[in-house]
Amino acid sequence: MSRLGAYRNEIRWTLVVLVFAVLGVVALWPRSPEPGSEGTAPPPQQASQPVSQAQRDAAALADCSPAPQPAAGLEGVTATCLATGEPVDLGKAVAGEPTLVNVWATWCAPCRAELPALQAYSEQPDAIRVVGVQVESGEADGLDLLTELGVHYPNVYDPAGRSRTALPGPNVLPVSYVVTTSGQVRPIEPPTVFTSPEEVRQAVQRTLEPR
């Protein structure tokens, strides 16, 4: 082989090595999330951080006062009252009077956006009771978020997600329900991300109408 041919062959192999090196770097490069994916799927589960009494005091949440008879379908579903850290029967915590139940998670952007609207509604004189159910996210993170947003209505923590299995309706977040005085659980349809207390009021009135 001539010296020129050997030189060309050497350049060819050098280029092949460089191409494979570039492909290797691209394959290992971290991917960015798909556009619009934030708030639509839970992140990988992480170990729950311990919760201090100071965090509970800072959140200033109302207690989860149980009713004598549980709401239909939620009997025996145990959660943690975020105000006290004590176990509570979710079926009894949302029964006894008309109650708006909102299921949420800290990673869910629409959930975070509507929590202030739910708090504002809960403060209205004609509002029914509001109870939040935190799922698929850490208890300490949930308390910190509620403190940050100034949300004080009762909230329970359901790390196992048993409430989502027991409640009717679509498997989406956020999702809200109205529990009637008789204990019937009705999903708010269509699923709504509330932006104002008036939207909450209209959805509650519509869902409570006789059927």
Side-chain angles (χ1 to χ4, degrees):
M1 180 184 296
S2 66
R3 180 177 299 177
L4 178 59
Y7 179 68
R8 288 177 175 173
N9 194 45
E10 182 180 346
I11 292 176
R12 186 181 301 113
W13 280 107
T14 300
L15 290 175
V16 170
V17 171
L18 286 174
V19 167
F20 277 100
V22 170
L23 289 175
V25 171
V26 171
L28 294 174
W29 197 262
R31 266 60 169 177
S32 297
E34 293 294 330
S37 64
E38 182 180 357
T40 60
Q45 289 291 329
Q46 298 179 351
S48 180
Q49 298 297 315
V51 175
S52 68
Q53 186 59 46
Q55 282 179 292
R56 299 193 194 281
D57 293 342
L61 296 169
D63 197 0
C64 315
S65 302
Q69 297 298 322
L74 291 173
E75 304 93 336
V77 176
T78 302
T80 300
C81 180
L82 283 176
T84 63
E86 298 295 326
V88 62
D89 185 307
L90 181 57
K92 293 183 178 180
V94 300
E97 62 181 279
T99 302
L100 170 62
V101 179
N102 176 255
V103 186
W104 61 280
T106 58
W107 53 263
C108 166
C111 302
R112 299 165 71 100
E114 76 171 2
L115 286 170
L118 290 166
Q119 174 62 33
Y121 167 76
S122 73
E123 297 171 356
Q124 303 299 312
D126 59 344
I128 65 173
R129 180 178 56 180
V130 180
V131 175
V133 180
Q134 182 196 350
V135 298
E136 298 181 7
S137 47
E139 183 180 5
D141 291 339
L143 280 166
D144 287 344
L145 178 62
L146 295 174
T147 302
E148 175 188 339
L149 297 178
V151 173
H152 302 298
Y153 54 79
N155 269 266
V156 300
Y157 178 56
D158 177 24
R162 292 183 61 200
S163 57
R164 300 197 70 187
T165 302
L167 289 166
N171 187 27
V172 298
L173 289 179
V175 62
S176 297
Y177 304 83
V178 172
V179 180
T180 66
T181 303
S182 64
Q184 181 184 11
V185 180
R186 299 177 179 177
I188 290 180
E189 297 175 334
T192 302
V193 178
F194 300 114
T195 60
S196 70
E198 183 58 33
E199 285 185 356
V200 181
R201 179 181 294 103
Q202 291 176 3
V204 168
Q205 291 174 346
R206 182 174 68 249
T207 309
L208 279 175
E209 289 177 353
R211 299 183 179 181

